[in-house]
């Protein structure tokens, strides 16, 4: 199925953020019940993955990992009726992404270059710096999530989760533009970090 550029962007947005938007809506529509909202997260994540598969005939790796994690941690939340599982999902996922990026660097690899190398032309030193920056960003977001869910109300945490993390991701990505522009043959900003 061939999609227009606008329709393709809409499908990408739904695949990337559909589950989280459903979670946000579910939280406020169910009287701020985090367990009930988790049903919305699980259903929204599953539907987003199906939409990606139907319209794009594939599921991109990052949305597949993020959607799979939402289903896993959401499922644990519903089985055990314990909201802690849905709250620690961003912590664990961001730690995994951060450790993967920094661990790759320690092994002399650039995981970010492997993922984006065809879209961006950067010298290896710039890829290493960008990978290091993103690795630290993901670790910082994991720590921040722990602070927010352990010290704030469910309402504050849900708003931090969506749209807060999306906004932080966009701000961080745009903060990396100067680094890219010094070295890149393109002036497109790096993609925002995927929601954890």
């Amino acid at each position: 199925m061939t999609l227009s550029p606008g329709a393709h962007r809409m499908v990408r947005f739904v695949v990337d953020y559909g589950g989280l938007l459903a979670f946000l809506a579910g939280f406020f529509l169910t009287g701020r019940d985090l367990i009930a909202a988790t049903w919305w997260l699980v259903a929204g994540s599953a539907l987003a993955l199906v939409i990606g598969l139907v319209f794009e005939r594939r599921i991109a790796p990052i949305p597949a990992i993020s959607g799979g994690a939402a289903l896993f941690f959401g499922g644990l939340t519903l089985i055990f009726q314990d909201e802690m599982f849905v709250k620690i999902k961003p912590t664990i996922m961001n730690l995994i992404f951060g450790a993967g990026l920094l661990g790759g660097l320690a092994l002399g690899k650039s995981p970010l270059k492997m993922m984006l190398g065809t879209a961006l032309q950067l010298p290896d030193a710039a890829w290493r710096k960008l990978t290091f920056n993103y690795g630290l960003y993901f670790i910082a977001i994991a720590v921040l999530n722990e602070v927010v869910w352990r010290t704030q109300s469910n309402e504050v945490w849900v708003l931090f989760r969506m749209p807060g993390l999306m906004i932080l991701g966009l701000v961080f990505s745009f903060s990396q533009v100067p680094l890219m522009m010094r070295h890149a043959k393109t002036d497109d900003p790096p993609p925002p970090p995927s929601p954890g």
Side-chain angles (χ1 to χ4, degrees), residues 38-80:
T38 301
W39 283 105
W40 291 58
L41 172 67
V42 169
S45 297
L47 183 59
L49 291 174
V50 169
I51 287 170
L53 190 58
V54 167
F55 287 99
E56 297 182 332
R57 297 184 184 229
R58 70 183 187 95
I59 300 174
I62 298 298
I65 292 167
S66 184
L71 294 173
F72 177 74
F73 286 100
L76 290 176
T77 300
L78 297 173
I79 290 167
F80 294 106

Side-chain angles (χ1 to χ4, degrees), residues 5-169:
H8 179 72
R9 281 192 295 276
M10 181 58 78
V11 168
R12 286 273 16 112
F13 183 83
V14 168
V15 170
D16 290 343
Y17 299 106
L20 287 173
L21 288 171
F23 180 62
L24 181 66
F27 180 74
F28 288 104
L29 292 173
T30 60
R32 295 172 170 77
D33 182 339
L34 203 55
I35 301 290
T38 301
W39 283 105
W40 291 58
L41 172 67
V42 169
S45 297
L47 183 59
L49 291 174
V50 169
I51 287 170
L53 190 58
V54 167
F55 287 99
E56 297 182 332
R57 297 184 184 229
R58 70 183 187 95
I59 300 174
I62 298 298
I65 292 167
S66 184
L71 294 173
F72 177 74
F73 286 100
L76 290 176
T77 300
L78 297 173
I79 290 167
F80 294 106
Q81 293 293 292
D82 186 345
E83 59 193 37
M84 178 200 67
F85 291 106
V86 77
K87 289 179 175 180
I88 65 170
K89 184 246 182 194
T91 301
I92 292 172
M93 296 309 297
N94 281 294
L95 284 175
I96 290 170
F97 286 132
L101 291 176
L102 297 177
L105 277 180
L107 296 172
K109 306 288 183 195
S110 179
L112 211 54
K113 181 180 180 181
M114 289 185 257
M115 291 187 293
L116 302 174
T118 58
L120 283 173
Q121 301 297 318
L122 295 173
D124 286 341
W127 276 118
R128 285 191 296 275
K129 178 67 174 162
L130 198 60
T131 300
F132 181 75
N133 291 351
Y134 269 89
L136 290 184
Y137 167 80
F138 285 121
I139 301 290
I141 289 299
V143 171
L144 183 58
N145 183 67
E146 284 298 297
V147 170
V148 172
W149 84 259
R150 291 176 186 274
T151 64
Q152 303 300 312
S153 67
N154 282 348
E155 183 172 307
V156 169
W157 178 77
V158 167
L159 291 172
F160 164 76
R161 183 74 184 91
M162 180 67 179
L165 286 181
M166 183 175 80
I167 293 167
L168 286 174

Side-chain angles (χ1 to χ4, degrees), residues 179-191:
L179 168 67
M180 291 175 36
M181 291 188 68
R182 279 196 304 271
H183 302 286
K185 296 176 184 172
T186 176
D187 54 8
D188 292 337

